[in-house]
Amino acid sequence: KRGAQNQGPPPPPQKNTHTRITMSFVRHVKLRVPCGQARPGPAIGQALGPLGINMAEFCKQFNDQTDTLYSKGTPVSVQLAALSDRTFTFEVRSPPTSYLLKQAAGVTKGPSHVSAEKAVGYVTPEQVYEIARVKQRDGMRWHLPLEGVAKSVIGTAKSMGIHVQEAGEEK
């Protein structure tokens, strides 16, 4: 055979000397924690303890991240992803719509039972749109139109006994 050279058998494949550590997802945990006030305790411990996550580390990271988001003590939703190597990632979401509505209406507690005629509090359409803007920033709602999110806020307000009306209207 012309031009062919006998090189012998091919060399053995190179072994990968680098050990690759793979982290796998364990599960999601949903928490509601006050901004800037997370402490290792029973509420957080019962959720994170079985996953082997360091509660003090979570509290430190959470407090650092939420210190400037909202006013201190505002409850926010947290979606935490636990990984197999006992590490975690988390996403801070906006406060519950009911909390924002109660703040806007100046109500401390919702009614024992809702009446269509008797309102517990009042919010203006402008306040509804401000709440909708806050809710729209969440990762799950970025694609929804502001009007749709505002309608959802109005529905929550109705279920809480809070009426939406213009600022000058009679109550």
Side-chain angles (χ1 to χ4, degrees):
K1 293 181 185 176
R2 208 175 206 182
Q5 297 175 357
N6 188 2
Q7 295 180 353
Q14 292 286 330
K15 290 187 179 179
N16 188 355
T17 58
H18 302 289
T19 55
R20 190 169 174 199
I21 300 171
T22 57
M23 294 180 292
S24 61
F25 170 77
V26 176
R27 73 174 201 201
H28 279 290
V29 177
K30 291 182 182 182
L31 302 168
R32 184 158 297 158
V33 186
C35 273
Q37 295 181 341
R39 298 188 255 339
I44 294 175
Q46 289 177 354
L48 304 184
L51 300 172
I53 293 175
N54 184 342
M55 289 181 285
E57 182 62 27
F58 167 75
C59 292
K60 181 181 177 294
Q61 287 183 27
F62 175 81
N63 289 337
D64 289 345
Q65 188 173 336
T66 60
D67 237 356
T68 57
L69 281 179
Y70 300 101
S71 62
K72 221 171 188 61
T74 301
V76 291
S77 298
V78 179
Q79 178 87 23
L80 183 132
L83 304 175
S84 61
D85 66 346
R86 296 182 180 213
T87 59
F88 60 89
T89 59
F90 65 91
E91 175 189 359
V92 178
R93 297 187 176 164
S94 62
T97 306
S98 58
Y99 175 83
L100 296 172
L101 282 166
K102 286 192 284 185
Q103 293 293 96
V107 176
T108 57
K109 185 181 169 195
S112 55
H113 48 281
V114 179
S115 169
E117 297 84 34
K118 187 177 180 207
V120 173
Y122 297 92
V123 291
T124 64
E126 291 80 18
Q127 289 172 313
V128 168
Y129 272 95
E130 283 303 313
I131 293 170
R133 277 196 197 103
V134 169
K135 296 304 285 182
Q136 192 180 33
R137 281 186 249 147
D138 272 353
M140 303 178 314
R141 293 186 185 94
W142 64 269
H143 65 283
L144 297 175
L146 185 62
E147 185 180 344
V149 178
K151 285 180 180 179
S152 172
V153 171
I154 291 170
T156 303
K158 282 181 182 177
S159 72
M160 294 174 62
I162 296 175
H163 292 191
V164 179
Q165 66 181 23
E166 290 293 333
E169 287 183 27
E170 188 179 310
K171 295 180 180 180

